[in-house]
Amino acid sequence: MARTRTPVVTGWFTGEGDAFRLLGTRCSACASVFFPREDAHCRNPGCGGGDLKEVPLSQRGRVWSYTDGRYRPPSPYVSDPELPWEPRTLIAVELAAERLVVLGQAVPGVTVADLAVGMEVEVVAGVLGEDAETVWTTWQWRPTGSQGVTA
Amino acid sequence: MTGDVAVLGVGMHPWGKWGRSFVEYGTAAARAALADAGVDWRDVGSIVGADTVRGGYPGYVAGATFAKALGWQGARVTSVYAACASGAQAIATARAQILAGLADVVLVVGADAAPKGFFRPAGGDRPDDPDWLRFRVLGATNPTYFGLYARRRMAVHGDTVDDFAQVKVKNAALGALNPYARYRKRVTAEEVAASAVVADPLRLLDICATSDGGAALVLSSVEFARRHGAAEAVRIRAVSTVTPRYPTTVLDLPDIATDSAVAVEPAPETFRASIARTAYEEAGLGPEDLSLAEVYDLSTALELQWYEDLGLCGAGEAAKLLREGATAPGGRIPVNTSGGLASFGEAVPAQAIAQVCELTWQLRGDAGDRQIEGARVGVTANQGLFGHGSSVIAVR
Ligand SMILES: [Zn+2]
């Protein structure tokens, strides 16, 4: 049976391949950007409140910081308890245009030894995990190969 | 000062993994604080409980749970929750009641019975809850965030993993002198370096455990303290319970992203720095007035961050301050004389209250082998999940 590909969260990202993008929302009154998306109210305390329209976020950003998880995270993270835990690398990425930092997993195979603060990374579609019926898709960060300045 | 309240009594149940109910720890701490204050429970006008989310319903109504365990006597009751800052919120509530004239004497109690391993979110599918999402989508545990902060400090300020280890060495040596601490063994930098990596660059001995424990305070008006023969009691002069200001620029637990600074320029200081500044302003004191500080060392690297956020040194100078020994006993500004979370392990709703217990013992000159000579002013600092500031300034 073919498993369906389902985003782990609805409405946070879209597209395949080069067209993959994180999705946020932007306030029509003050231009604040929100990720995760705000759909009801702008959170800028100085804004009277505008319409919140969906916007794709920048594909590329720079590493704000990074770490990894050497131990299996607890539920609701899904992992196969039968298999040994493989450490996952996590990267916090600063997006210059939106002036915000977004946390995400690194693509499989990237370890902390491959990373530095300031390095350029890009967002790509990835797989968080699979179960009997579903392939859960997510966003991941991948170094672009272009070295950044530290800090 | 008119804003002062007196600390008449303090009490703790030792931290550990005792396998019993939080009610037992909190009640033991409360009885100890009442005995220390020389106050009969039946004369307490109000009780404020710091909630635990791990004890079922009794944990959500901690004030009433402790009042019942001590024996119903009709006191006004409040229960508060603010994650790691719950204890400070309980103190703030008690202080407000005293200053408003609603009660002369207030008992503040917090206690927890901690789970094994990582803290995890409440059960069920809750895609609207950031705390659920960070686990589900990223597997981001609390140490994930501690690792991010630590690595960022290394890149921006040049801190080293050995600096982090030296925080543990300092705190473990102090914890060894504290009968209420869970870990009472000195630790070497080699032992830190030999412990397993949990969240790069942090190792098991860089990260605080979770513990059972209970802490309590008996607070009163200054006028009541005088009548009670405790005119010289330690006084709480400030309680900061501020929230962040939009837009946040530091990725805080349990968020997946910061706010966007595209429309509003961020404040020049971080949220953590604003917690301390608010406390200083309220007390009319500054970092130069401090004799000691109790800070929330969820990780060794976070303790260094607090040095800067409390203004004990400039940005990026925390590791230097540590290396100089300024934050060790005998230094200019000893930090975590209790042994800190490194020696206690976190008992969430009790921890911020326990910090004030340590300040009180130090300011009274009752801290035994941990005593800082001539301590006059102490500060506590802590930040609770979901945007809760927590800082208390106590004076003698
Ligand atoms: Zn707006």
Side-chain angles (χ1 to χ4, degrees):
Chain A
M1 188 181 81
R3 290 180 289 189
T4 54
R5 289 177 70 86
T6 307
V8 64
V9 193
T10 307
W12 283 20
F13 49 84
T14 187
E16 300 283 334
D18 288 347
F20 184 83
R21 290 284 206 290
L22 287 170
L23 293 176
T25 54
R26 184 187 295 275
C27 174
S28 64
C30 74
S32 285
V33 176
F34 298 99
F35 181 87
R37 56 189 302 146
E38 294 287 349
D39 287 292
H41 301 284
C42 173
R43 288 195 289 103
N44 171 2
C47 175
D51 294 333
L52 290 155
K53 296 220 174 67
E54 186 171 282
V55 284
L57 304 188
S58 302
Q59 275 177 304
R60 293 185 172 205
R62 293 198 179 274
V63 174
W64 183 81
S65 192
Y66 56 95
T67 185
D68 60 10
R70 302 284 177 100
Y71 290 88
R72 190 188 302 278
S75 158
Y77 191 78
V78 178
S79 66
D80 186 344
E82 303 289 311
L83 298 176
W85 170 250
E86 291 292 332
R88 293 308 307 254
T89 302
L90 289 126
I91 313 180
V93 177
E94 195 160 19
L95 304 179
E98 292 83 1
R99 292 188 71 187
L100 57 70
V101 173
V102 179
L103 188 59
Q105 291 187 340
V107 294
V110 168
T111 73
V112 291
D114 302 318
L115 297 169
V117 169
M119 181 183 277
E120 190 184 65
V121 293
E122 61 188 343
V123 73
V124 295
V127 172
L128 181 65
E130 306 180 6
D131 56 34
E133 294 93 37
T134 313
V135 175
W136 296 102
T137 60
T138 190
W139 73 96
Q140 291 175 338
W141 297 110
R142 180 174 69 193
T144 60
S146 122
Q147 296 296 315
V149 289
T150 347
Chain B
M1 239 183 232
T2 53
D4 284 4
V5 297
V7 184
L8 283 188
V10 296
M12 286 171 66
H13 181 287
W15 265 227
K17 282 273 177 162
W18 308 110
R20 301 197 299 273
S21 160
F22 79 95
V23 184
E24 191 176 326
Y25 312 138
T27 306
R31 288 184 184 282
L34 288 162
D36 186 45
V39 167
D40 189 303
W41 158 235
R42 289 166 297 182
D43 296 328
V44 170
S46 170
I47 180 168
V48 185
D51 291 350
T52 170
V53 294
R54 279 171 288 278
Y57 217 128
Y60 303 138
V61 293
T65 298
F66 295 131
K68 183 183 178 189
L70 289 163
W72 294 122
Q73 46 82 313
R76 181 190 294 270
V77 65
T78 312
S79 301
V80 299
Y81 189 70
C84 304
S86 299
Q89 297 252 323
I91 293 166
T93 303
R95 182 180 73 142
Q97 292 180 350
I98 291 165
L99 295 179
L102 296 173
D104 272 340
V105 185
V106 183
L107 176 63
V108 174
V109 193
D112 208 2
K116 272 191 165 29
F118 294 120
F119 280 131
R120 61 185 67 197
D125 272 9
R126 289 188 325 284
D128 292 334
D129 172 358
D131 196 46
W132 184 87
L133 283 165
R134 57 141 170 163
F135 282 96
R136 173 70 186 99
V137 179
L138 301 170
T141 60
N142 292 2
T144 297
Y145 293 81
F146 309 153
L148 291 170
Y149 304 148
R151 177 58 67 183
R152 175 88 184 158
R153 286 196 62 84
M154 292 172 75
V156 176
H157 298 312
D159 293 7
T160 67
V161 289
D162 191 56
D163 292 327
F164 302 154
Q166 291 302 334
V167 173
K168 177 70 175 189
V169 171
K170 170 182 74 72
N171 289 351
L174 285 157
L177 305 174
N178 191 337
Y180 293 102
R182 174 175 171 192
Y183 302 103
R184 302 204 51 206
K185 265 183 55 191
R186 298 174 74 100
V187 170
T188 65
E190 292 72 29
E191 286 170 315
V192 179
S195 66
V197 175
V198 174
D200 175 273
L202 298 176
R203 296 174 180 273
L204 195 59
L205 292 183
D206 285 303
I207 294 170
C208 91
T210 61
S211 294
D212 296 357
L217 305 172
V218 177
L219 304 180
S220 81
S221 64
V222 170
E223 182 48 39
F224 181 94
R226 260 191 216 111
R227 292 201 305 271
H228 190 66
E232 301 303 310
V234 167
R235 296 171 182 206
I236 290 178
R237 185 151 289 172
V239 185
S240 165
T241 54
V242 292
T243 50
R245 276 170 297 169
Y246 181 88
T248 64
T249 53
V250 177
L251 188 65
D252 273 332
L253 276 158
D255 294 334
I256 287 175
T258 64
D259 292 332
S260 158
V262 78
V264 179
E265 199 54 35
E269 64 183 2
T270 62
F271 172 45
R272 269 194 299 268
S274 77
I275 297 169
R277 179 185 49 75
T278 306
Y280 289 138
E281 284 175 5
E282 192 171 292
L285 295 166
E288 66 283 357
D289 298 310
L290 297 175
S291 312
L292 76 154
E294 285 283 305
V295 306
Y296 230 62
D297 55 324
L298 291 165
S299 81
T300 49
L302 264 176
E303 174 165 322
L304 297 180
Q305 186 65 48
W306 277 117
Y307 295 177
E308 296 166 18
D309 294 334
L310 282 173
L312 309 184
C313 61
E317 294 173 355
K320 180 167 169 278
L321 198 69
L322 175 80
R323 291 174 200 145
E324 290 168 354
T327 59
R332 173 164 70 78
I333 170 69
V335 176
N336 281 337
T337 57
S338 68
L341 272 62
S343 303
F344 276 77
E346 189 183 15
V348 176
Q351 209 70 42
I353 299 170
Q355 289 183 317
V356 176
C357 291
E358 177 67 9
L359 291 193
T360 303
W361 282 318
Q362 289 285 355
L363 296 173
R364 285 178 181 172
D366 286 346
D369 294 339
R370 309 188 308 284
Q371 185 63 45
I372 302 305
E373 279 309 309
R376 306 286 306 184
V377 180
V379 67
T380 71
N382 159 22
Q383 175 188 4
L385 204 76
F386 286 98
H388 291 97
S390 156
S391 176
V392 174
I393 291 177
V395 302
R396 167 171 76 104

